[in-house]
């Protein structure tokens, strides 16, 4: 089992974590290493192992609790292990490798602080979990929520997702719908004998092209919504009028909408095509957004520690699980999120140290 030194420079700790392959559903080796390091190199923590999830918390009676949560899994390796480090004029000192951005640098910061924080102002809960990068039904944080819900109690939660060292508050919600049409198949040389299903979706595409998304400010964070066609299907052969067709539409919505109100909005947008009966709509996937909650005192103190640097989170993250429990949650970690999952995934060394210093100041 690889040994981790939690007292080492968090950059070196990041490199050590990156060099432990941990694709989703294959996190046992890294979970073993994290558990062993927490048990031997920290004091005052209750530590629990559940599958490939490692949980640790203090109970010093400090009056407030901060949750630090990060996933241990990565997307499949793409020839980008072991890590390598480069220094050049263009990017400076940079650590390369699978998981450097998403999100082993964030995990390294949390682990390093667990071992080295001398005067904590808050009790801490650390949660390292599995299977975040695959379908939601396998998400380790969801398993903890169902089986060990008491571990998710706290005043504020920080997810180590990559944000380039800036607080990204809350997250968008998302839902997908399929708009379908049916018709009658016929030879295209006798098209009048058929009923073209693809043609019936013309109004759907026109509606999407004309749609103007909403921008909304919540706690000083501007969320931009989006309604987009993300898939289309139909057709039988080059000489056949098709009898079935569909368009898949994704709605990314601000966290002041629930899934129910977001779905109502989508139905209203497509009211014209739906009213004819020629087009039907079904919900195929959904996930709630998360309000930023930056007005909460514990979250406001984190913003102050970050010198007031914050913005809205675009996309969905596990902060929504905490928001649903009434716990303000933010994303904060090293790394440019646009580099996550890429073959050339890399993180500036300076950002790892900056996030470590920021959180040390806040947690002290």
């Amino acid at each position: 089992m690889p040994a981790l030194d939690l007292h080492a420079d968090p950059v070196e700790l990041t490199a050590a974590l990156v060099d432990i392959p941990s694709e989703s559903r294959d996190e046992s080796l890294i979970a073993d290493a994290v558990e062993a390091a927490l048990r031997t190199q920290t004091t005052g923590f209750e530590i629990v192992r559940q599958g490939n999830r490692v949980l640790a918390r203090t109970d010093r009676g400090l009056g407030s609790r901060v949750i630090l949560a990060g996933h241990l899994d990565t997307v499949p390796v793409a020839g980008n292990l072991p890590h390598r480090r480069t220094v050049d004029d263009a990017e400076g000192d940079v650590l390369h490798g699978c998981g450097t951005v998403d999100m082993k640098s964030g995990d390294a910061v949390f682990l390093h602080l667990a071992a080295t924080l001398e005067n904590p102002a808050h009790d801490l809960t650390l949660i390292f979990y599995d299977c975040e990068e695959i379908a939601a039904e396998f998400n380790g944080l969801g398993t903890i929520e169902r089986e060990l819900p008491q571990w998710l109690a706290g005043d504020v939660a920080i997810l180590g997702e990559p944000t380039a060292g800036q607080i990204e508050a809350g997250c968008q919600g998302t839902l997908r719908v399929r708009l379908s049409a049916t018709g009658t198949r016929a030879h295209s040389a006798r098209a009048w004998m058929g009923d073209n299903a693809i043609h019936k979706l013309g109004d759907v595409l026109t509606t999407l092209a004309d749609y103007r998304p909403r921008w909304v400010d919540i706690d000083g964070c501007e969320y931009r919504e989006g309604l987009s066609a993300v898939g289309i299907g139909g057709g039988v052969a080059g000489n056949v009028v098709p009898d079935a067709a569909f368009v898949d539409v994704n709605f990314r919505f601000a966290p002041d909408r629930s899934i129910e109100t977001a779905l109502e909005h989508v139905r209203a947008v497509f009211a014209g095509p739906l009213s004819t009966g020629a087009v039907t709509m079904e919900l195929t996937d959904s996930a709630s957004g998360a309000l930023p909650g930056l007005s909460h005192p514990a979250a406001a103190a984190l913003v102050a520690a970050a010198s007031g640097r914050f913005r809205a989170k675009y996309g969905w993250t596990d902060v929504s699980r905490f928001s649903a429990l009434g716990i303000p949650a933010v994303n904060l970690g090293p790394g440019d999120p646009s580099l996550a999952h890429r073959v050339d995934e890399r993180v500036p060394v300076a950002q790892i140290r900056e996030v470590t210093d920021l959180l040390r100041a806040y947690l002290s």
Side-chain angles (χ1 to χ4, degrees), residues 146-178:
R146 291 187 298 272
E147 299 179 5
L148 297 171
Q150 67 275 18
W151 280 84
L152 300 188
D155 295 282
V156 66
I158 301 171
L159 274 290
E161 293 284 351
T163 64
Q166 183 174 176
I167 291 172
E168 291 187 345
C171 72
Q172 291 173 302
T174 180
L175 64 79
R176 283 192 297 274
V177 297
R178 173 163 289 188

PDB file of all heavy atoms in Angstrom, residues 146-178:
ATOM      1  N   ARG A 146     -27.591   8.251   2.651  1.00  0.00           N
ATOM      2  CA  ARG A 146     -28.631   7.259   2.954  1.00  0.00           C
ATOM      3  C   ARG A 146     -28.312   6.441   4.197  1.00  0.00           C
ATOM      4  O   ARG A 146     -29.204   6.120   4.984  1.00  0.00           O
ATOM      5  CB  ARG A 146     -28.805   6.311   1.753  1.00  0.00           C
ATOM      6  CG  ARG A 146     -29.419   6.972   0.527  1.00  0.00           C
ATOM      7  CD  ARG A 146     -29.724   5.944  -0.548  1.00  0.00           C
ATOM      8  NE  ARG A 146     -28.533   5.247  -1.040  1.00  0.00           N
ATOM      9  CZ  ARG A 146     -27.782   5.684  -2.047  1.00  0.00           C
ATOM     10  NH1 ARG A 146     -28.084   6.815  -2.659  1.00  0.00           N
ATOM     11  NH2 ARG A 146     -26.725   4.996  -2.441  1.00  0.00           N
ATOM     12  N   GLU A 147     -27.033   6.079   4.395  1.00  0.00           N
ATOM     13  CA  GLU A 147     -26.676   5.112   5.424  1.00  0.00           C
ATOM     14  C   GLU A 147     -26.035   5.729   6.659  1.00  0.00           C
ATOM     15  O   GLU A 147     -26.140   5.153   7.756  1.00  0.00           O
ATOM     16  CB  GLU A 147     -25.739   4.059   4.821  1.00  0.00           C
ATOM     17  CG  GLU A 147     -26.377   3.281   3.666  1.00  0.00           C
ATOM     18  CD  GLU A 147     -25.442   2.256   3.054  1.00  0.00           C
ATOM     19  OE1 GLU A 147     -24.313   2.078   3.581  1.00  0.00           O
ATOM     20  OE2 GLU A 147     -25.833   1.626   2.037  1.00  0.00           O
ATOM     21  N   LEU A 148     -25.373   6.858   6.528  1.00  0.00           N
ATOM     22  CA  LEU A 148     -24.715   7.518   7.670  1.00  0.00           C
ATOM     23  C   LEU A 148     -25.039   9.013   7.648  1.00  0.00           C
ATOM     24  O   LEU A 148     -24.141   9.864   7.629  1.00  0.00           O
ATOM     25  CB  LEU A 148     -23.195   7.306   7.606  1.00  0.00           C
ATOM     26  CG  LEU A 148     -22.684   5.870   7.702  1.00  0.00           C
ATOM     27  CD1 LEU A 148     -21.190   5.826   7.412  1.00  0.00           C
ATOM     28  CD2 LEU A 148     -22.959   5.286   9.088  1.00  0.00           C
ATOM     29  N   PRO A 149     -26.315   9.390   7.641  1.00  0.00           N
ATOM     30  CA  PRO A 149     -26.682  10.799   7.461  1.00  0.00           C
ATOM     31  C   PRO A 149     -26.124  11.720   8.532  1.00  0.00           C
ATOM     32  O   PRO A 149     -25.938  12.918   8.282  1.00  0.00           O
ATOM     33  CB  PRO A 149     -28.212  10.764   7.485  1.00  0.00           C
ATOM     34  CG  PRO A 149     -28.572   9.502   8.223  1.00  0.00           C
ATOM     35  CD  PRO A 149     -27.498   8.521   7.855  1.00  0.00           C
ATOM     36  N   GLN A 150     -25.856  11.195   9.730  1.00  0.00           N
ATOM     37  CA  GLN A 150     -25.337  12.037  10.807  1.00  0.00           C
ATOM     38  C   GLN A 150     -23.964  12.629  10.449  1.00  0.00           C
ATOM     39  O   GLN A 150     -23.566  13.665  11.005  1.00  0.00           O
ATOM     40  CB  GLN A 150     -25.245  11.240  12.118  1.00  0.00           C
ATOM     41  CG  GLN A 150     -24.218  10.123  12.144  1.00  0.00           C
ATOM     42  CD  GLN A 150     -24.722   8.814  11.564  1.00  0.00           C
ATOM     43  OE1 GLN A 150     -25.710   8.771  10.833  1.00  0.00           O
ATOM     44  NE2 GLN A 150     -24.036   7.721  11.895  1.00  0.00           N
ATOM     45  N   TRP A 151     -23.260  11.993   9.521  1.00  0.00           N
ATOM     46  CA  TRP A 151     -21.950  12.500   9.114  1.00  0.00           C
ATOM     47  C   TRP A 151     -22.047  13.721   8.205  1.00  0.00           C
ATOM     48  O   TRP A 151     -21.039  14.383   7.949  1.00  0.00           O
ATOM     49  CB  TRP A 151     -21.144  11.393   8.432  1.00  0.00           C
ATOM     50  CG  TRP A 151     -20.507  10.458   9.406  1.00  0.00           C
ATOM     51  CD1 TRP A 151     -21.064   9.367  10.015  1.00  0.00           C
ATOM     52  CD2 TRP A 151     -19.181  10.567   9.918  1.00  0.00           C
ATOM     53  NE1 TRP A 151     -20.162   8.779  10.874  1.00  0.00           N
ATOM     54  CE2 TRP A 151     -18.990   9.501  10.821  1.00  0.00           C
ATOM     55  CE3 TRP A 151     -18.115  11.443   9.696  1.00  0.00           C
ATOM     56  CZ2 TRP A 151     -17.799   9.291  11.509  1.00  0.00           C
ATOM     57  CZ3 TRP A 151     -16.912  11.242  10.378  1.00  0.00           C
ATOM     58  CH2 TRP A 151     -16.775  10.177  11.271  1.00  0.00           C
ATOM     59  N   LEU A 152     -23.210  14.033   7.723  1.00  0.00           N
ATOM     60  CA  LEU A 152     -23.370  15.195   6.840  1.00  0.00           C
ATOM     61  C   LEU A 152     -23.899  16.420   7.574  1.00  0.00           C
ATOM     62  O   LEU A 152     -24.238  17.423   6.944  1.00  0.00           O
ATOM     63  CB  LEU A 152     -24.312  14.848   5.673  1.00  0.00           C
ATOM     64  CG  LEU A 152     -23.868  13.693   4.779  1.00  0.00           C
ATOM     65  CD1 LEU A 152     -24.775  13.590   3.562  1.00  0.00           C
ATOM     66  CD2 LEU A 152     -22.409  13.835   4.345  1.00  0.00           C
ATOM     67  N   ALA A 153     -23.943  16.364   8.894  1.00  0.00           N
ATOM     68  CA  ALA A 153     -24.381  17.517   9.682  1.00  0.00           C
ATOM     69  C   ALA A 153     -23.237  18.523   9.811  1.00  0.00           C
ATOM     70  O   ALA A 153     -22.098  18.156  10.101  1.00  0.00           O
ATOM     71  CB  ALA A 153     -24.841  17.064  11.068  1.00  0.00           C
ATOM     72  N   GLY A 154     -23.546  19.798   9.583  1.00  0.00           N
ATOM     73  CA  GLY A 154     -22.519  20.824   9.717  1.00  0.00           C
ATOM     74  C   GLY A 154     -23.096  22.203   9.470  1.00  0.00           C
ATOM     75  O   GLY A 154     -24.270  22.366   9.133  1.00  0.00           O
ATOM     76  N   ASP A 155     -22.252  23.231   9.653  1.00  0.00           N
ATOM     77  CA  ASP A 155     -22.673  24.617   9.447  1.00  0.00           C
ATOM     78  C   ASP A 155     -22.348  25.118   8.051  1.00  0.00           C
ATOM     79  O   ASP A 155     -23.012  26.011   7.534  1.00  0.00           O
ATOM     80  CB  ASP A 155     -22.012  25.517  10.496  1.00  0.00           C
ATOM     81  CG  ASP A 155     -22.500  25.194  11.895  1.00  0.00           C
ATOM     82  OD1 ASP A 155     -23.615  25.619  12.225  1.00  0.00           O
ATOM     83  OD2 ASP A 155     -21.774  24.506  12.633  1.00  0.00           O
ATOM     84  N   VAL A 156     -21.325  24.572   7.437  1.00  0.00           N
ATOM     85  CA  VAL A 156     -20.971  24.910   6.064  1.00  0.00           C
ATOM     86  C   VAL A 156     -20.171  23.741   5.499  1.00  0.00           C
ATOM     87  O   VAL A 156     -19.451  23.048   6.234  1.00  0.00           O
ATOM     88  CB  VAL A 156     -20.163  26.226   5.997  1.00  0.00           C
ATOM     89  CG1 VAL A 156     -18.802  26.082   6.655  1.00  0.00           C
ATOM     90  CG2 VAL A 156     -20.017  26.724   4.569  1.00  0.00           C
ATOM     91  N   ALA A 157     -20.323  23.494   4.200  1.00  0.00           N
ATOM     92  CA  ALA A 157     -19.594  22.419   3.535  1.00  0.00           C
ATOM     93  C   ALA A 157     -18.747  22.999   2.409  1.00  0.00           C
ATOM     94  O   ALA A 157     -19.193  23.891   1.677  1.00  0.00           O
ATOM     95  CB  ALA A 157     -20.553  21.368   2.983  1.00  0.00           C
ATOM     96  N   ILE A 158     -17.535  22.489   2.288  1.00  0.00           N
ATOM     97  CA  ILE A 158     -16.627  22.911   1.221  1.00  0.00           C
ATOM     98  C   ILE A 158     -16.278  21.676   0.399  1.00  0.00           C
ATOM     99  O   ILE A 158     -15.727  20.706   0.919  1.00  0.00           O
ATOM    100  CB  ILE A 158     -15.347  23.549   1.786  1.00  0.00           C
ATOM    101  CG1 ILE A 158     -15.698  24.761   2.653  1.00  0.00           C
ATOM    102  CG2 ILE A 158     -14.403  23.957   0.656  1.00  0.00           C
ATOM    103  CD1 ILE A 158     -14.512  25.319   3.436  1.00  0.00           C
ATOM    104  N   LEU A 159     -16.622  21.700  -0.878  1.00  0.00           N
ATOM    105  CA  LEU A 159     -16.267  20.638  -1.815  1.00  0.00           C
ATOM    106  C   LEU A 159     -14.980  21.040  -2.525  1.00  0.00           C
ATOM    107  O   LEU A 159     -14.873  22.166  -3.016  1.00  0.00           O
ATOM    108  CB  LEU A 159     -17.373  20.424  -2.843  1.00  0.00           C
ATOM    109  CG  LEU A 159     -18.546  19.491  -2.502  1.00  0.00           C
ATOM    110  CD1 LEU A 159     -18.097  18.045  -2.456  1.00  0.00           C
ATOM    111  CD2 LEU A 159     -19.217  19.891  -1.214  1.00  0.00           C
ATOM    112  N   GLY A 160     -14.033  20.134  -2.594  1.00  0.00           N
ATOM    113  CA  GLY A 160     -12.733  20.458  -3.178  1.00  0.00           C
ATOM    114  C   GLY A 160     -12.707  20.435  -4.688  1.00  0.00           C
ATOM    115  O   GLY A 160     -11.646  20.208  -5.292  1.00  0.00           O
ATOM    116  N   GLU A 161     -13.836  20.704  -5.331  1.00  0.00           N
ATOM    117  CA  GLU A 161     -13.891  20.743  -6.791  1.00  0.00           C
ATOM    118  C   GLU A 161     -12.996  21.863  -7.328  1.00  0.00           C
ATOM    119  O   GLU A 161     -12.816  22.896  -6.680  1.00  0.00           O
ATOM    120  CB  GLU A 161     -15.332  20.980  -7.256  1.00  0.00           C
ATOM    121  CG  GLU A 161     -16.293  19.859  -6.963  1.00  0.00           C
ATOM    122  CD  GLU A 161     -16.125  18.668  -7.907  1.00  0.00           C
ATOM    123  OE1 GLU A 161     -15.364  18.788  -8.900  1.00  0.00           O
ATOM    124  OE2 GLU A 161     -16.743  17.621  -7.643  1.00  0.00           O
ATOM    125  N   PRO A 162     -12.441  21.678  -8.521  1.00  0.00           N
ATOM    126  CA  PRO A 162     -11.543  22.703  -9.067  1.00  0.00           C
ATOM    127  C   PRO A 162     -12.272  24.005  -9.374  1.00  0.00           C
ATOM    128  O   PRO A 162     -13.294  24.005 -10.066  1.00  0.00           O
ATOM    129  CB  PRO A 162     -11.012  22.049 -10.353  1.00  0.00           C
ATOM    130  CG  PRO A 162     -12.043  21.021 -10.725  1.00  0.00           C
ATOM    131  CD  PRO A 162     -12.570  20.506  -9.422  1.00  0.00           C
ATOM    132  N   THR A 163     -11.729  25.099  -8.859  1.00  0.00           N
ATOM    133  CA  THR A 163     -12.319  26.431  -9.095  1.00  0.00           C
ATOM    134  C   THR A 163     -11.237  27.476  -9.340  1.00  0.00           C
ATOM    135  O   THR A 163     -11.513  28.672  -9.257  1.00  0.00           O
ATOM    136  CB  THR A 163     -13.150  26.872  -7.878  1.00  0.00           C
ATOM    137  OG1 THR A 163     -12.268  27.023  -6.743  1.00  0.00           O
ATOM    138  CG2 THR A 163     -14.242  25.876  -7.533  1.00  0.00           C
ATOM    139  N   ALA A 164     -10.012  27.030  -9.620  1.00  0.00           N
ATOM    140  CA  ALA A 164      -8.874  27.942  -9.792  1.00  0.00           C
ATOM    141  C   ALA A 164      -8.647  28.790  -8.546  1.00  0.00           C
ATOM    142  O   ALA A 164      -8.192  29.928  -8.617  1.00  0.00           O
ATOM    143  CB  ALA A 164      -9.054  28.827 -11.021  1.00  0.00           C
ATOM    144  N   GLY A 165      -8.969  28.229  -7.372  1.00  0.00           N
ATOM    145  CA  GLY A 165      -8.705  28.893  -6.108  1.00  0.00           C
ATOM    146  C   GLY A 165      -9.707  29.950  -5.732  1.00  0.00           C
ATOM    147  O   GLY A 165      -9.503  30.673  -4.758  1.00  0.00           O
ATOM    148  N   GLN A 166     -10.816  30.047  -6.474  1.00  0.00           N
ATOM    149  CA  GLN A 166     -11.849  31.039  -6.189  1.00  0.00           C
ATOM    150  C   GLN A 166     -13.116  30.315  -5.739  1.00  0.00           C
ATOM    151  O   GLN A 166     -13.428  29.229  -6.246  1.00  0.00           O
ATOM    152  CB  GLN A 166     -12.143  31.856  -7.453  1.00  0.00           C
ATOM    153  CG  GLN A 166     -13.144  32.958  -7.256  1.00  0.00           C
ATOM    154  CD  GLN A 166     -13.300  33.839  -8.492  1.00  0.00           C
ATOM    155  OE1 GLN A 166     -14.126  34.736  -8.510  1.00  0.00           O
ATOM    156  NE2 GLN A 166     -12.515  33.597  -9.528  1.00  0.00           N
ATOM    157  N   ILE A 167     -13.850  30.890  -4.799  1.00  0.00           N
ATOM    158  CA  ILE A 167     -15.090  30.272  -4.344  1.00  0.00           C
ATOM    159  C   ILE A 167     -16.107  30.275  -5.479  1.00  0.00           C
ATOM    160  O   ILE A 167     -16.353  31.305  -6.112  1.00  0.00           O
ATOM    161  CB  ILE A 167     -15.667  31.029  -3.131  1.00  0.00           C
ATOM    162  CG1 ILE A 167     -14.756  30.827  -1.913  1.00  0.00           C
ATOM    163  CG2 ILE A 167     -17.079  30.563  -2.813  1.00  0.00           C
ATOM    164  CD1 ILE A 167     -15.137  31.696  -0.731  1.00  0.00           C
ATOM    165  N   GLU A 168     -16.660  29.108  -5.762  1.00  0.00           N
ATOM    166  CA  GLU A 168     -17.788  28.994  -6.679  1.00  0.00           C
ATOM    167  C   GLU A 168     -18.966  28.490  -5.855  1.00  0.00           C
ATOM    168  O   GLU A 168     -18.934  27.370  -5.336  1.00  0.00           O
ATOM    169  CB  GLU A 168     -17.472  28.054  -7.843  1.00  0.00           C
ATOM    170  CG  GLU A 168     -16.427  28.644  -8.775  1.00  0.00           C
ATOM    171  CD  GLU A 168     -16.206  27.823 -10.030  1.00  0.00           C
ATOM    172  OE1 GLU A 168     -16.636  26.653 -10.073  1.00  0.00           O
ATOM    173  OE2 GLU A 168     -15.586  28.350 -10.972  1.00  0.00           O
ATOM    174  N   ALA A 169     -19.962  29.332  -5.726  1.00  0.00           N
ATOM    175  CA  ALA A 169     -21.032  29.080  -4.766  1.00  0.00           C
ATOM    176  C   ALA A 169     -22.229  28.416  -5.432  1.00  0.00           C
ATOM    177  O   ALA A 169     -22.602  28.756  -6.563  1.00  0.00           O
ATOM    178  CB  ALA A 169     -21.460  30.395  -4.119  1.00  0.00           C
ATOM    179  N   GLY A 170     -22.841  27.493  -4.680  1.00  0.00           N
ATOM    180  CA  GLY A 170     -24.022  26.813  -5.169  1.00  0.00           C
ATOM    181  C   GLY A 170     -23.725  26.036  -6.427  1.00  0.00           C
ATOM    182  O   GLY A 170     -22.582  25.734  -6.765  1.00  0.00           O
ATOM    183  N   CYS A 171     -24.770  25.718  -7.184  1.00  0.00           N
ATOM    184  CA  CYS A 171     -24.602  25.108  -8.503  1.00  0.00           C
ATOM    185  C   CYS A 171     -25.935  25.145  -9.235  1.00  0.00           C
ATOM    186  O   CYS A 171     -26.997  25.305  -8.623  1.00  0.00           O
ATOM    187  CB  CYS A 171     -24.070  23.679  -8.423  1.00  0.00           C
ATOM    188  SG  CYS A 171     -25.231  22.434  -7.807  1.00  0.00           S
ATOM    189  N   GLN A 172     -25.864  25.016 -10.535  1.00  0.00           N
ATOM    190  CA  GLN A 172     -27.064  24.958 -11.341  1.00  0.00           C
ATOM    191  C   GLN A 172     -27.766  23.603 -11.147  1.00  0.00           C
ATOM    192  O   GLN A 172     -27.130  22.595 -10.863  1.00  0.00           O
ATOM    193  CB  GLN A 172     -26.728  25.101 -12.823  1.00  0.00           C
ATOM    194  CG  GLN A 172     -26.226  26.458 -13.247  1.00  0.00           C
ATOM    195  CD  GLN A 172     -25.761  26.420 -14.688  1.00  0.00           C
ATOM    196  OE1 GLN A 172     -24.883  25.647 -15.037  1.00  0.00           O
ATOM    197  NE2 GLN A 172     -26.340  27.266 -15.526  1.00  0.00           N
ATOM    198  N   GLY A 173     -29.082  23.622 -11.359  1.00  0.00           N
ATOM    199  CA  GLY A 173     -29.808  22.376 -11.502  1.00  0.00           C
ATOM    200  C   GLY A 173     -29.808  21.956 -12.962  1.00  0.00           C
ATOM    201  O   GLY A 173     -29.486  22.745 -13.858  1.00  0.00           O
ATOM    202  N   THR A 174     -30.158  20.718 -13.214  1.00  0.00           N
ATOM    203  CA  THR A 174     -30.194  20.234 -14.590  1.00  0.00           C
ATOM    204  C   THR A 174     -31.341  19.248 -14.767  1.00  0.00           C
ATOM    205  O   THR A 174     -31.672  18.490 -13.847  1.00  0.00           O
ATOM    206  CB  THR A 174     -28.859  19.561 -14.969  1.00  0.00           C
ATOM    207  OG1 THR A 174     -28.923  19.087 -16.317  1.00  0.00           O
ATOM    208  CG2 THR A 174     -28.543  18.382 -14.059  1.00  0.00           C
ATOM    209  N   LEU A 175     -31.956  19.296 -15.915  1.00  0.00           N
ATOM    210  CA  LEU A 175     -32.928  18.275 -16.288  1.00  0.00           C
ATOM    211  C   LEU A 175     -32.859  18.069 -17.796  1.00  0.00           C
ATOM    212  O   LEU A 175     -32.463  18.953 -18.556  1.00  0.00           O
ATOM    213  CB  LEU A 175     -34.351  18.618 -15.838  1.00  0.00           C
ATOM    214  CG  LEU A 175     -35.089  19.833 -16.388  1.00  0.00           C
ATOM    215  CD1 LEU A 175     -35.673  19.572 -17.777  1.00  0.00           C
ATOM    216  CD2 LEU A 175     -36.212  20.230 -15.439  1.00  0.00           C
ATOM    217  N   ARG A 176     -33.227  16.862 -18.208  1.00  0.00           N
ATOM    218  CA  ARG A 176     -33.315  16.544 -19.628  1.00  0.00           C
ATOM    219  C   ARG A 176     -34.705  16.014 -19.935  1.00  0.00           C
ATOM    220  O   ARG A 176     -35.269  15.248 -19.143  1.00  0.00           O
ATOM    221  CB  ARG A 176     -32.270  15.503 -20.036  1.00  0.00           C
ATOM    222  CG  ARG A 176     -30.868  16.065 -20.178  1.00  0.00           C
ATOM    223  CD  ARG A 176     -29.924  15.092 -20.866  1.00  0.00           C
ATOM    224  NE  ARG A 176     -29.745  13.881 -20.108  1.00  0.00           N
ATOM    225  CZ  ARG A 176     -28.861  13.721 -19.142  1.00  0.00           C
ATOM    226  NH1 ARG A 176     -28.076  14.737 -18.801  1.00  0.00           N
ATOM    227  NH2 ARG A 176     -28.759  12.574 -18.497  1.00  0.00           N
ATOM    228  N   VAL A 177     -35.227  16.426 -21.066  1.00  0.00           N
ATOM    229  CA  VAL A 177     -36.507  15.926 -21.547  1.00  0.00           C
ATOM    230  C   VAL A 177     -36.327  15.416 -22.968  1.00  0.00           C
ATOM    231  O   VAL A 177     -35.420  15.860 -23.694  1.00  0.00           O
ATOM    232  CB  VAL A 177     -37.617  16.996 -21.515  1.00  0.00           C
ATOM    233  CG1 VAL A 177     -37.904  17.445 -20.095  1.00  0.00           C
ATOM    234  CG2 VAL A 177     -37.265  18.185 -22.405  1.00  0.00           C
ATOM    235  N   ARG A 178     -37.181  14.487 -23.349  1.00  0.00           N
ATOM    236  CA  ARG A 178     -37.212  14.011 -24.735  1.00  0.00           C
ATOM    237  C   ARG A 178     -38.546  14.420 -25.344  1.00  0.00           C
ATOM    238  O   ARG A 178     -39.611  14.054 -24.833  1.00  0.00           O
ATOM    239  CB  ARG A 178     -37.022  12.498 -24.808  1.00  0.00           C
ATOM    240  CG  ARG A 178     -37.215  11.941 -26.217  1.00  0.00           C
ATOM    241  CD  ARG A 178     -36.628  10.549 -26.366  1.00  0.00           C
ATOM    242  NE  ARG A 178     -35.165  10.591 -26.360  1.00  0.00           N
ATOM    243  CZ  ARG A 178     -34.394   9.527 -26.627  1.00  0.00           C
ATOM    244  NH1 ARG A 178     -34.955   8.354 -26.907  1.00  0.00           N
ATOM    245  NH2 ARG A 178     -33.079   9.625 -26.613  1.00  0.00           N
TER     246      ARG A 178
END
